[in-house]
Amino acid sequence: MSKILILPGDGIGEEVTKQCLKILDYLNAETNYNFEYKKGLFGGASIDDCGKPLSNEVLDLAMESDAVLLGAVGGPKWEALDHDLKPEKGLLTLRKELGTFANLRPGKVFPALSNASSLKSEVLKGTDIFVVRELTGGIYFGEPRYSKIIDKKRVASNPLIYNEDEIARVAHEAFKISLKRNKKVTSLDKANVLEVMQLWRDVVTEVHEKYYKDEVELEHLYIDNAAMQVIKRPSTFDVILASNLFGDIISDEVAELTGSLGMLPSASTGNKKGIYEPVHGSAPDIAGKNIANPIAAILSLGMMFKYSFNEDKISDLIDHSISEVLNAGNRTQDIAKENDVTLSCDEMGDVILEEIKKSESNFI
Ligand code: IPM
Ligand code: MG
């Protein structure tokens, strides 16, 4: 039986993962599938409980699970804490410990939402971008990291270091994903200024030359130019490959193309186990109000079925049901236009579940 660990975390994390649980409960009760799940405290919720954003017990549970479904971490309550004690540190440790070096963030524009983005719908037409972000290296983990007083001045450091193996393995992921899509990879760097980014460009080029040259087109863009091109010609991108920090930034930009950060799911994969989480954060300003968009979380659940359990049918069923629900005009406040009636987070979860029940026989 597949084991899932659910870590709702903070802010809207609880509300949006609750909608995923409804779907898991339904699959367990009404189909031949059986997924065992446990819940744990994570991020600020865990700090409040035991002083640490990721307790040893929860890390052990994650290690024993086949996959982890995450909500979101962080909030103003914990912002003043030292970096090592912040909710975000729990997330970074979890990614590192589970070895999830490739973070997959598909930014597909649902046709029903082509008016929800701040970009013109003719510019967006056909946009389907898949960001592959390096997740366990780079500036997020560079040593020595510190913040201290040197010669009476505050000085802080976070070095950006990559070795060639870390770059090559995530590049392979991006090329392999592009083979199942439109066979184009755009790699982002800052090779005009940084040695480490020249290494990034060199290694990506070598991996391409050696294994994928005949099938995949490779484009290199400097990150500053890429930030512009993504909004200028979004439909010309297929797979975007980026380092940890550049991928973090560009994926929020891609999210806006899809209409809302509330629409973007992610899968963090690597050696074996996967972490699945919506790209949006904990959104403290709307937490507890039952108005968050649960779609990114539910799409992340769909990615879990696909990447951790090879259950493409359930994943397709979830994607299909979300498209249908959007086509029928259902909107949470973040993707609504002026005269739309908006659904609460719970209501959106319910209509998606109803659609899953209706469409199920066509998929599983
Ligand atoms: C993300 C988030 C995280 C990151 C934060 C919450 C640590 O922004 O997953 O994109 O920077 O990786
Ligand atoms: Mg981010």
Side-chain angles (χ1 to χ4, degrees):
M1 198 197 302
S2 307
K3 285 192 198 161
I4 302 169
L5 176 64
I6 318 258
L7 302 176
D10 309 318
I12 59 170
E14 185 73 49
E15 295 152 58
V16 297
T17 48
K18 186 172 146 210
Q19 312 312 317
C20 298
L21 290 180
K22 289 181 189 168
I23 297 171
L24 276 175
D25 287 339
Y26 169 74
L27 291 172
N28 277 344
E30 304 293 336
T31 68
N32 293 329
Y33 292 100
N34 229 333
F35 302 100
E36 182 194 304
Y37 66 78
K38 290 187 179 160
K39 270 176 87 174
L41 293 175
F42 188 54
S46 172
I47 294 174
D48 289 349
D49 183 60
C50 70
K52 285 166 75 178
L54 173 64
S55 67
N56 293 342
E57 293 75 45
V58 169
L59 180 58
D60 288 346
L61 280 178
M63 293 295 206
E64 286 161 20
S65 308
D66 301 301
V68 179
L69 181 71
L70 251 161
V73 291
K77 186 173 174 193
W78 308 282
E79 252 160 32
L81 291 172
D82 274 0
H83 275 273
D84 275 346
L85 297 171
K86 275 195 202 310
E88 288 80 357
K89 177 72 179 180
L91 182 55
L92 301 186
T93 307
L94 188 68
R95 290 171 176 172
K96 192 81 173 172
E97 291 290 330
L98 297 191
T100 54
F101 60 82
N103 182 222
L104 318 180
R105 300 187 156 184
K108 188 166 178 272
V109 177
F110 285 87
L113 289 188
S114 59
N115 289 325
S117 167
S118 52
L119 254 64
K120 295 188 198 110
S121 53
E122 56 273 28
V123 175
L124 273 178
K125 203 162 175 274
T127 296
D128 184 353
I129 301 178
F130 199 110
V131 177
V132 178
R133 167 188 177 196
E134 199 291 320
L135 202 63
T136 51
I139 199 165
Y140 275 55
F141 296 94
E143 296 286 347
R145 59 188 302 152
Y146 58 79
S147 176
K148 58 184 172 192
I149 308 282
I150 304 179
D151 293 338
K152 297 192 185 137
K153 278 195 208 314
R154 286 174 299 160
V155 182
S157 151
N158 291 97
L160 171 51
I161 303 173
Y162 271 116
N163 71 42
E164 56 185 338
D165 297 344
E166 290 172 309
I167 302 169
R169 66 185 180 180
V170 72
H172 275 290
E173 291 302 314
F175 287 120
K176 279 193 232 152
I177 287 168
S178 83
L179 283 172
K180 294 194 193 147
R181 295 172 44 95
N182 289 328
K183 303 189 173 60
K184 180 176 173 193
V185 171
T186 303
S187 172
L188 312 187
D189 61 47
K190 190 72 189 172
N192 48 344
V193 178
L194 305 172
E195 282 80 356
V196 55
M197 285 288 127
Q198 184 63 53
L199 179 67
W200 181 278
R201 186 174 286 218
D202 292 347
V203 174
V204 172
T205 305
E206 287 155 21
V207 170
H208 177 248
E209 287 276 322
K210 199 157 168 202
Y211 300 98
Y212 306 97
K213 194 171 179 228
D214 295 338
E215 283 175 281
V216 183
E217 182 195 340
L218 172 63
E219 170 186 42
H220 298 281
L221 288 182
Y222 297 137
I223 176 66
D224 48 348
N225 184 22
M228 182 180 75
Q229 301 297 340
V230 160
I231 48 171
K232 194 170 169 191
R233 50 173 179 94
S235 64
T236 66
F237 289 88
D238 178 25
V239 173
I240 292 182
L241 166 63
S243 58
N244 206 341
L245 182 61
F246 292 170
D248 179 45
I249 296 167
I250 210 77
S251 57
D252 271 29
E253 204 182 345
V254 167
E256 177 51 28
L257 304 177
T258 69
S260 165
L261 202 49
M263 296 294 299
L264 211 67
S266 86
S268 303
T269 62
N271 306 330
K272 235 167 113 219
K273 294 169 205 294
I275 305 173
Y276 300 85
E277 52 179 317
V279 171
H280 63 67
S282 57
D285 51 326
I286 59 164
K289 296 186 178 160
N290 192 20
I291 56 172
N293 183 351
I295 292 181
I298 297 175
L299 286 169
S300 302
L301 180 70
M303 292 186 88
M304 171 184 291
F305 289 119
K306 186 178 171 125
Y307 291 99
S308 276
F309 304 135
N310 289 321
E311 295 290 358
D312 287 26
K313 287 182 193 153
I314 307 185
S315 169
D316 291 346
L317 167 64
I318 289 179
D319 288 359
H320 166 87
S321 302
I322 288 173
S323 286
E324 288 298 300
V325 158
L326 293 172
N327 288 342
N330 295 292
R331 301 285 185 269
T332 40
Q333 46 88 33
D334 56 316
I335 49 174
K337 288 278 172 232
E338 260 165 44
N339 298 321
D340 287 341
V341 180
T342 58
L343 300 187
S344 68
C345 181
D346 263 321
E347 286 165 339
M348 185 55 113
D350 289 341
V351 290
I352 293 171
L353 180 59
E354 284 314 308
E355 189 57 51
I356 288 175
K357 292 181 186 169
K358 219 163 83 190
S359 311
E360 182 208 309
S361 58
N362 300 328
F363 288 84
I364 54 179

